């Protein structure tokens, strides 16, 4: 509750690298160190990427390819809200008969917050609801890609030279460790992923990197140096006298969110794909155990672990009854409806007899049954509450059903006393077995 | 006899075709055009002068349209000319908004909990965003959108669509659940005490 009301009234002191005082709702507890941890004493690691509007989880490799952007969702270039797709009916000529017009659906993007629409920048309505929207191409992409390749190659060459120098000093049978410096050089131009890629015929071990990979063609990538121009486009003549159309001028934030184009006019603001967010996992710095690991897909959480169910048994007869529960075996012909496994208590349960006067008798002796607290939750006159463990087997939409057998003893007091030669045998108890099916309700998603 | 106030009418002049719920509060000299829907708990108060509302407007719950006295003038001062508040056609006053603007054009949308001051004049196609307070002394140009906590502005290329579907639906459904105020046909003579 500290997060809702007066969060700073109660503060806990965390002994970490720094002494931090904060409320309990912002702290974590490491079970292995048995200590409180705050956000500053744990290491944050990226766990997975997801889109904040469509909640789609993306594996990290795919996220890197798509530049950490969602494929389906767009951001408003004006207010950075999420864009929604709207449909209108427009009359369009039928493909068969150009003279007749039929109503066709046309889709456009609109922002619910600032009322920006894709029509404002001249983007035509699309005929498909999703997937039709393209971001405009950056005219400099080719040059940038070429530059990146060139520098990656340069970095690799530098790394090889350093490794060669290092290896020359070491004995040949000692494994070559990546020095911190080489890693830094490699990471400088984003070569990280390329190193992990398996090139055919050349395994990425440091020793093999010495022989200059003759099996593979080291393409010499030449780039043209950037050329400095002498002439610059002159400013238009009315640059100083033209009145400013303020709504058309983009703000710095709007401009910098589109680093490719950085348009100065609002009519060139195109929507960009939505940025992905990360789920982070927290790791205790002292014991390296995970403190908090996010769920991969929160919309599909099943009860895959077992859960306890409390059942109540009431004894209607006035004598003590012994009850044993047995789970159904595999291939039991009566067990057709169960969708979950059940683990019933193995011990026998004893129920006291029904005693109508017991409710009114305050001085009655408490019943002395040795109850296992793991099995028996409570006991009240002729009632008993006990636990069973349920493990759902399938994640289906129907109810969770378990079945088991109850075996109990029964004395038929109403039967006529058989005249027999046995002397005064008390009524025999017979053991009855019933097949019970219990419907526990739907699985909570 | 008691001295009559300068605002003559006591009953609102509701044109035929308008749907005004009985639970709405309409005080003073108010004229409501046809096809206008006034929800219950909406308040239209003509204190300092008459209010004339055009047709096709949608005034939602807890909206307050008030023609109030300017702050530095006492209600009983003589010689104060009553100013008429004019509201055009096809406007939408969303839930909880407050409008004191004396002149509102057509096709405007005043979103929930927006607050328009006395000196603002809305032209056409303007959208005042939710919770935005506009109390400057200016004429808002056409097709302006005011949005955000800082009341940022931008111009949109098309004006907001009139809410014809919504109006038709409400005109059918509201009378099923609420009593309506009586409509008056044509001009009515002011009621004298």
């Amino acid at each position: 509750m500290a997060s809702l009301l007066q969060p700073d009234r109660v503060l806990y002191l965390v002994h970490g690298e720094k002494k931090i005082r904060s409320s309990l709702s912002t702290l974590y507890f490491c079970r292995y160190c048995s200590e409180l941890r705050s956000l500053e004493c744990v290491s944050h690691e990226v766990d997975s990427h997801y889109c904040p509007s469509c909640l789609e989880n993306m594996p990290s490799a795919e996220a890197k390819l798509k530049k950490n952007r969602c494929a389906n969702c767009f951001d408003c270039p004006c207010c950075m809200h999420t864009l929604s797709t709207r449909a209108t009916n427009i009359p369009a000529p039928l493909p068969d008969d150009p003279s007749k017009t039929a109503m066709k659906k046309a889709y456009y993007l609109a922002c619910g917050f600032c009322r920006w629409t894709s029509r404002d920048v001249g983007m035509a309505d699309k005929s498909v609801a999703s997937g039709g929207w393209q971001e405009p191409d950056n005219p400099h992409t080719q040059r940038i890609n070429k530059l990146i390749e060139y520098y990656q190659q340069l970095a690799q060459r530098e790394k090889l030279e350093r490794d060669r120098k290092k290896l020359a000093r070491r004995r040949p049978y000692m494994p070559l460790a990546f020095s911190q410096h080489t890693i830094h050089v490699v990471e400088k131009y984003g070569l990280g992923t390329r190193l992990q890629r398996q090139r055919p015929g050349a395994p990425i071990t440091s020793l093999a990197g010495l022989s200059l990979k003759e099996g593979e063609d080291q393409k010499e990538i030449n780039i043209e140096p950037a050329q400095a121009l002498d002439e610059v486009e002159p400013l238009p003549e009315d640059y100083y006298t033209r009145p400013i159309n303020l709504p058309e001028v983009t703000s710095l934030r709007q401009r910098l969110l589109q680093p490719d184009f950085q348009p100065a006019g609002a009519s060139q603001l195109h929507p960009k794909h939505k940025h992905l967010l990360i789920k982070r996992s927290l790791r205790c710095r002292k014991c390296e155990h995970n403190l908090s690991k996010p769920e991969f897909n929160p919309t599909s959480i099943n009860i895959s672990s077992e859960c306890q169910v409390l059942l109540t048994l009431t004894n209607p007869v006035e004598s003590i009854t012994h009850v044993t529960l047995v789970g159904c075996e595999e291939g039991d012909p009566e067990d057709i409806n169960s969708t979950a496994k059940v683990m019933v208590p193995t011990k026998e349960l004893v129920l006291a007899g029904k005693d109508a006067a017991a409710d009114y008798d305050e001085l009655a002796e408490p019943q002395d049954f040795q109850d296992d607290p793991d099995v028996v939750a409570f006991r009240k006159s002729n009632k008993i509450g006990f636990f069973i463990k349920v493990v759902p087997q399938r994640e289906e939409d129907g109810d969770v059903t378990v079945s088991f057998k109850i075996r109990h003893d029964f004395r038929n007091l109403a039967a006529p006393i058989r005249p027999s030669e046995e002397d005064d045998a008390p009524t025999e108890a017979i053991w009855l077995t019933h097949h019970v099916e219990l419907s526990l309700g739907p699985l909570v998603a | 006899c008691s001295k009559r106030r300068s605002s003559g009418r006591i009953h609102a002049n509701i044109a035929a075709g308008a749907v005004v719920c009985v639970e709405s509060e309409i005080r003073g000299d108010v004229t409501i055009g046809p096809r206008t829907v006034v929800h219950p708990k909406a308040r239209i108060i003509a204190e300092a002068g008459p209010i004339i509302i055009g047709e096709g407007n949608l005034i939602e719950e807890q909206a307050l349209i008030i023609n109030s006295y300017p702050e530095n003038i006492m209600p009983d001062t003589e010689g104060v000319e009553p100013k008429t508040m004019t509201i055009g056609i096809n406007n939408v006053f969303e839930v909880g908004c407050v409008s004191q603007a004396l002149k509102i054009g057509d096709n405007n949308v005043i979103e929930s909990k927006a607050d328009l001051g006395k000196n603002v004049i809305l032209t056409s196609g303007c959208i005042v965003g939710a919770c935005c307070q506009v109390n400057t002394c200016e004429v808002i140009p056409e097709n302006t959108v005011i949005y955000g906590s800082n009341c940022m502005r931008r111009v949109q290329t098309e004006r907001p669509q009139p809410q014809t579907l919504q109006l038709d639906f409400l005109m059918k459904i509201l009378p099923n659940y609420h009593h309506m105020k009586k409509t008056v046909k044509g001009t009515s003579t002011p009621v004298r005490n």
Side-chain angles (χ1 to χ4, degrees), chain A residues 11-278:
Chain A
L11 297 177
Y12 284 78
L13 177 62
V14 177
H15 297 274
E17 291 152 10
K18 299 185 234 175
K19 302 246 184 275
I20 294 176
R21 288 173 171 77
S22 66
S23 69
L24 201 58
S25 54
T26 57
L27 294 177
Y28 295 85
F29 183 72
C30 179
R31 283 182 291 184
Y32 303 91
C33 312
S34 295
E35 277 175 17
L36 280 177
R37 296 265 175 260
S38 78
L39 279 177
E40 300 211 18
C41 341
V42 296
S43 59
H44 302 238
E45 299 163 353
V46 171
D47 191 69
S48 58
H49 300 262
Y50 72 101
C51 169
S53 70
C54 63
L55 296 182
E56 182 202 341
N57 272 302
M58 235 190 250
S60 308
E62 191 186 337
K64 198 157 181 180
L65 252 177
K66 296 201 181 147
K67 306 204 174 163
N68 289 334
R69 303 254 172 197
C70 176
N72 306 325
C73 309
F74 286 92
D75 270 344
C76 174
C78 189
C79 65
M80 297 92 204
H81 191 61
T82 311
L83 287 177
S84 50
T85 312
R86 295 216 191 128
T88 53
N89 281 322
I90 50 159
L94 279 174
D96 311 329
D97 194 353
S99 57
K100 290 196 205 147
T101 55
M103 299 304 279
K104 217 173 47 148
K105 273 205 182 307
Y107 300 94
Y108 62 97
L109 295 171
C111 173
F113 190 58
C114 68
R115 311 267 176 151
W116 180 92
T117 63
S118 56
R119 294 169 176 169
D120 287 353
V121 287
M123 291 170 76
D125 296 351
K126 301 280 183 273
S127 49
V128 284
S130 62
W133 304 100
Q134 304 291 337
E135 283 186 23
D137 283 326
N138 186 357
H140 305 293
T141 322
Q142 269 200 348
R143 170 96 176 138
I144 292 178
N145 283 341
K146 217 168 169 212
L147 284 171
I148 290 178
E149 267 187 37
Y150 174 73
Y151 279 107
Q152 275 175 349
Q153 205 191 46
L154 200 60
Q156 215 179 7
R157 237 184 266 162
E158 281 183 22
K159 172 197 125 341
L160 283 177
E161 280 175 21
R162 280 186 212 281
D163 283 350
R164 204 179 291 138
K165 273 191 221 162
K166 288 228 158 169
L167 193 71
R169 284 186 251 138
R170 290 173 188 268
R171 317 264 174 86
Y173 55 79
M174 274 181 69
L176 179 70
F178 267 99
S179 68
Q180 282 287 76
H181 186 63
T182 27
I183 293 181
H184 177 69
V185 161
V186 150
E187 284 298 322
K188 196 159 65 166
Y189 297 118
L191 196 51
T193 45
R194 285 182 106 193
L195 272 186
Q196 267 96 48
R197 248 189 273 157
Q198 286 295 320
R199 297 222 176 104
I204 310 290
T205 62
S206 329
L207 291 174
L210 287 181
S211 63
L212 191 59
K213 293 195 188 79
E214 264 128 58
E216 146 197 324
D217 49 348
Q218 279 280 347
K219 232 183 341 181
E220 278 294 321
I221 301 179
N222 287 322
I223 51 162
E224 302 149 8
Q227 289 175 348
L229 291 171
D230 236 349
E231 290 175 7
V232 181
E233 228 180 73
L235 287 175
E237 277 179 11
D238 60 351
Y239 196 74
Y240 294 107
T241 53
R242 188 177 56 204
I244 295 182
N245 181 8
L246 211 49
E248 176 68 11
V249 176
T250 52
S251 73
L252 257 188
R253 184 150 191 247
Q254 291 167 348
R255 222 178 278 192
L256 294 176
L257 275 176
Q258 312 218 352
D260 298 352
F261 302 98
Q262 297 181 34
S267 49
Q268 277 121 44
L269 281 176
H270 287 268
K272 281 218 116 181
H273 284 284
K274 205 162 179 63
H275 218 70
L276 297 177
L277 299 180
I278 57 166

Side-chain angles (χ1 to χ4, degrees), chain B residues 129-191:
Chain B
C131 275
C132 289
Q133 287 182 340
V134 186
N135 43 22
T136 49
C137 177
E138 64 170 312
V139 175
I140 311 264
E142 287 199 10
N143 290 341
T144 308
V145 179
I146 301 177
Y147 66 97
S149 48
N150 299 328
C151 291
M152 313 262 308
R153 296 197 188 179
R154 54 173 293 273
V155 175
Q156 54 175 5
T157 46
E158 40 187 49
R159 46 172 52 185
Q161 294 168 336
Q163 301 278 350
T164 22
L165 273 180
Q166 175 84 332
L167 282 172
D168 288 340
F169 176 73
L170 285 171
M171 292 206 291
K172 259 191 305 179
I173 294 283
L174 270 179
N176 290 344
Y177 298 94
H178 295 277
H179 293 288
M180 300 292 133
K181 286 203 192 232
K182 281 227 168 70
T183 61
V184 174
K185 264 226 175 96
T187 55
S188 69
T189 49
V191 178

Side-chain angles (χ1 to χ4, degrees), chain A residues 163-418:
Chain A
D163 283 350
R164 204 179 291 138
K165 273 191 221 162
K166 288 228 158 169
L167 193 71
R169 284 186 251 138
R170 290 173 188 268
R171 317 264 174 86
Y173 55 79
M174 274 181 69
L176 179 70
F178 267 99
S179 68
Q180 282 287 76
H181 186 63
T182 27
I183 293 181
H184 177 69
V185 161
V186 150
E187 284 298 322
K188 196 159 65 166
Y189 297 118
L191 196 51
T193 45
R194 285 182 106 193
L195 272 186
Q196 267 96 48
R197 248 189 273 157
Q198 286 295 320
R199 297 222 176 104
I204 310 290
T205 62
S206 329
L207 291 174
L210 287 181
S211 63
L212 191 59
K213 293 195 188 79
E214 264 128 58
E216 146 197 324
D217 49 348
Q218 279 280 347
K219 232 183 341 181
E220 278 294 321
I221 301 179
N222 287 322
I223 51 162
E224 302 149 8
Q227 289 175 348
L229 291 171
D230 236 349
E231 290 175 7
V232 181
E233 228 180 73
L235 287 175
E237 277 179 11
D238 60 351
Y239 196 74
Y240 294 107
T241 53
R242 188 177 56 204
I244 295 182
N245 181 8
L246 211 49
E248 176 68 11
V249 176
T250 52
S251 73
L252 257 188
R253 184 150 191 247
Q254 291 167 348
R255 222 178 278 192
L256 294 176
L257 275 176
Q258 312 218 352
D260 298 352
F261 302 98
Q262 297 181 34
S267 49
Q268 277 121 44
L269 281 176
H270 287 268
K272 281 218 116 181
H273 284 284
K274 205 162 179 63
H275 218 70
L276 297 177
L277 299 180
I278 57 166
K279 285 191 210 163
R280 61 181 167 183
S281 62
L282 303 170
R283 191 181 287 274
C284 173
R285 282 201 192 131
K286 280 204 196 140
C287 64
E288 303 290 334
H289 278 103
N290 255 329
L291 276 183
S292 152
K293 198 155 166 63
E295 186 63 43
F296 185 70
N297 190 356
T299 54
S300 73
I301 294 183
N302 314 316
I303 310 177
S304 50
S305 57
E306 56 185 42
C307 80
Q308 267 193 351
V309 177
L310 175 68
L311 299 178
T312 321
L313 259 185
T314 313
N315 182 9
V317 300
E318 287 167 353
S319 56
I320 293 188
T321 308
H322 306 264
V323 177
T324 320
L325 298 163
V326 176
C328 289
E329 296 185 14
E330 292 280 318
D332 191 344
E334 292 167 7
D335 181 7
I336 45 170
N337 282 332
S338 66
T339 57
K341 272 211 202 121
V342 62
M343 279 164 294
V344 293
T346 45
K347 292 199 199 143
E348 192 179 66
L349 302 165
V350 184
L351 277 85
K354 186 168 84 162
D355 190 358
D359 290 343
Y360 307 99
D361 193 358
E362 286 160 356
L363 300 172
E365 299 244 327
Q367 299 151 338
D368 190 17
F369 297 99
Q370 306 283 338
D371 285 333
D372 184 356
D374 284 336
V375 171
V376 176
F378 65 87
R379 179 184 285 278
K380 190 175 172 179
S381 61
N382 62 332
K383 261 198 245 185
I384 187 174
F386 61 96
F387 293 109
I388 60 170
K389 287 194 171 52
V390 176
V391 180
Q393 295 296 292
R394 305 174 234 164
E395 35 172 295
E396 38 177 71
D397 293 329
D399 288 350
V400 175
T401 314
V402 298
S403 35
F404 49 88
K405 309 225 189 287
I406 281 192
R407 187 164 175 268
H408 67 101
D409 58 344
F410 172 65
R411 286 179 182 78
N412 190 350
L413 298 172
I417 300 179
R418 268 181 289 145

